[in-house]
Amino acid sequence: MKKLFAILLVLSLALAPLCSSLAEDILGQPFPDFTATDTEGNAFTLSEALQDHEAVLVNLWASWCPPCEAEFPDLNEVYAAYRDRVAFIALSCEPDDTLEVIEDYRQSHGITFPMGRDEDQALIMYTGSDGIPTTVIVDRFGNAAFFQIGMFENAGTIQAVLDKFLGDAYTETAVVEHP
């Protein structure tokens, strides 16, 4: 396990400059409105989610990805605490992950937030990311305000990032770099 952690740490440090240049391309820019069907058959539309929430966390992942799997318990914890203020959607960008595969994964891992597919890999291609998990936080103005390739360190880190976009003091898009 320590060896895997060391490898992931080295990879994340190597990807840091790449993440920075990708982030410059989308951060502060309007994130494309999208609609995805979740595993329960519900339509999730970004613009509609922003009508009822202060931000949207979009997590791009795949069922074969160990860092994605490792991150889900933290995302689940934060979703439980923030679900009234932040909409969550996890979209698999793996073409072989059908809604049935995703639902089985969701159930077996106890994930409570909506999950679906990144149809035609449109969002992962838009971000320019070549790694997963990739997380984008879209602020209340519909702009990409946070972008990260790789997993979050822990639930506290996710909360610290989300807190920057919540509340009455957030009156214009502010790009947040890695925590």
Side-chain angles (χ1 to χ4, degrees), residues 1 7 10-11 21 30 60 67 72 89 91 93 113 142 163 173 179:
M1 186 66 165
I7 291 169
V10 169
L11 283 173
S21 96
L60 302 169
F72 280 137
I89 185 77
L91 300 172
C93 53
F113 49 85
D163 285 343
T173 297

Side-chain angles (χ1 to χ4, degrees), residues 59-179:
N59 181 265
L60 302 169
W61 67 286
S63 62
W64 50 261
C65 168
C68 302
E69 182 176 23
E71 179 179 61
F72 280 137
D74 291 329
L75 286 170
N76 225 18
E77 179 183 330
V78 175
Y79 174 69
Y82 284 70
R83 66 189 297 162
D84 292 337
R85 299 176 73 191
V86 179
F88 281 56
I89 185 77
L91 300 172
S92 175
C93 53
E94 168 58 50
D96 292 334
D97 284 350
T98 64
L99 285 177
E100 293 79 20
V101 167
I102 296 166
E103 178 60 13
D104 288 346
Y105 186 97
R106 185 173 144 325
Q107 291 296 322
S108 69
H109 289 77
I111 298 168
T112 57
F113 49 85
M115 299 181 88
R117 297 186 66 223
D118 178 14
E119 292 293 334
D120 301 321
Q121 300 179 315
L123 295 178
I124 197 77
M125 288 191 311
Y126 173 79
T127 67
S129 175
D130 63 356
I132 52 173
T134 291
T135 302
V136 178
I137 298 175
V138 180
D139 70 8
R140 67 183 69 178
F141 308 109
N143 297 318
F146 178 82
F147 174 80
Q148 174 175 295
I149 300 172
M151 61 186 274
F152 283 97
E153 193 173 308
N154 54 45
T157 305
I158 301 166
Q159 290 174 322
V161 170
L162 287 175
D163 285 343
K164 297 177 191 260
F165 305 107
L166 305 178
D168 294 337
Y170 191 80
T171 58
E172 63 183 350
T173 297
V175 170
V176 173
E177 298 294 327
H178 292 285

Side-chain angles (χ1 to χ4, degrees), residues 1-24:
M1 186 66 165
K2 288 181 182 179
K3 195 177 225 182
L4 177 62
F5 179 75
I7 291 169
L8 291 173
L9 180 62
V10 169
L11 283 173
S12 67
L13 292 173
L15 289 174
L18 175 63
C19 294
S20 171
S21 96
L22 292 174
E24 290 172 8

